[in-house]
């Protein structure tokens, strides 16, 4: 079975994009990874309408990517903060890979607005692909794709 | 300047998502990375309308992520194939990172439909974050983010 003969019905990239593959969802995650937690902060920082933001947060919470935690400011009603779960943090390599590509190809001449480095040694981060055997970083040519056990033919 | 005080106007993740942050664009890239090149093959495999596919391909070509190469089958008019440029292939870590997360959290019990491994040793691939100093894989806690030289205050 070639890739073209393989059904995309149970493709895990497609299912992932069904959850987070919308620009504003990924930008909510970007802000969450940078410490943003409150509805109004997301809204103001991203310049997003309440309705769109609420919808994206609902999807991310339903997917277990964000969790809600109650907080209460003096004299105000209880509200919720949004915090990344472990499942949410596991999208960090996706975010760093997007940033790496963007820093290379879309930054203004003076550079990107955010500089992310290894806390210990101060060197910049890189998103790379390695193998479980300890080899890498790998290039696409060094990778071999074949149908997995769950591959189904296009019907 | 904290992240919340930083303008998202020149954010390189946001600019990247302006180019590829739509589900079908990323799925076109998924298919392209698996060797799909022709309009009708993309369309049939992804179950996508001609109009949406044509729009996504146009954006990706305009961004220099895909290139068009003419081909001609006997007795038919010249058409174009779509091939990833170097710039397009540099999105490979994004795709592997999305697949890794999807394989972990969205696969059917029998697994994902596509199995990607290191050609030389046969071990499965991993998308990881390392630093230019040779340390890693890193976790988000080991990363430190600060405003870059191009950071602008929210106006």
């Amino acid at each position: 079975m070639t890739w073209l003969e393989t059904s995309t019905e149970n493709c895990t990239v497609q299912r992932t994009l069904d959850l987070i593959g919308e620009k504003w969802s990924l930008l909510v995650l970007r802000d969450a990874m940078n410490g943003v937690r409150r509805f109004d902060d997301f809204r103001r920082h991203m310049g997003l309408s309440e309705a769109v933001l609420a919808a994206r947060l609902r999807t991310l919470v339903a997917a277990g990517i964000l969790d809600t935690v109650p907080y209460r400011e003096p004299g105000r009603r209880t509200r919720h903060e949004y915090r990344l779960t472990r499942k949410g943090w596991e999208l960090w390599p996706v975010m760093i890979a997007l940033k790496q590509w963007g820093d290379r190809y879309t930054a203004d001449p003076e550079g990107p607005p955010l500089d992310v480095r290894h806390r210990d040694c101060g060197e910049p981060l890189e998103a790379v692909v390695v193998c479980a055997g300890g080899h890498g970083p790998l290039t696409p040519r060094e990778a071999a794709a074949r149908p997995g056990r769950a591959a189904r033919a296009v019907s």
Side-chain angles (χ1 to χ4, degrees), chain A:
Chain A
M1 205 187 315
T2 68
W3 175 248
L4 265 181
E5 292 161 350
T6 307
S7 168
T8 59
E9 198 181 59
N10 60 343
C11 170
T12 52
V13 171
Q14 191 148 337
R15 287 181 178 171
T16 299
L17 295 174
D18 285 337
L19 297 175
I20 58 152
E22 197 278 330
K23 183 183 155 186
W24 296 114
S25 302
L26 283 160
L27 293 178
V28 165
L29 293 177
R30 173 202 63 185
D31 269 23
M33 288 177 185
N34 281 299
V36 181
R37 292 182 169 178
R38 299 188 175 186
F39 189 92
D40 288 340
D41 287 339
F42 283 113
R43 191 177 54 72
R44 271 193 293 257
H45 192 236
M46 294 168 59
L48 199 54
S49 80
E50 285 202 21
V52 172
L53 177 59
R56 295 302 172 279
L57 288 170
R58 253 196 314 274
T59 306
L60 293 170
V61 169
I65 291 168
L66 293 178
D67 212 353
T68 54
V69 180
Y71 73 95
R72 188 172 181 176
E73 287 183 343
R76 307 196 66 170
R77 65 181 175 81
T78 299
R79 306 193 68 177
H80 288 90
E81 286 191 336
Y82 297 87
R83 298 198 193 171
L84 286 158
T85 62
R86 181 191 176 93
K87 183 176 176 181
W89 273 114
E90 286 186 15
L91 287 164
W92 190 59
V94 173
M95 195 60 61
I96 296 297
L98 286 168
K99 176 169 164 53
Q100 167 172 282
W101 191 89
D103 287 357
R104 188 169 301 156
Y105 289 113
T106 75
D108 286 334
E110 64 270 33
L114 190 70
D115 189 19
V116 188
R117 290 169 180 267
H118 183 197
R119 196 180 289 282
D120 282 356
C121 78
E123 292 288 329
L125 300 195
E126 294 173 355
V128 295
V129 178
V130 298
C131 83
H135 308 107
L138 302 177
T139 65
R141 280 182 203 281
E142 294 171 281
R146 56 179 188 190
R149 278 190 306 154
R152 305 172 196 167
V154 174
S155 56

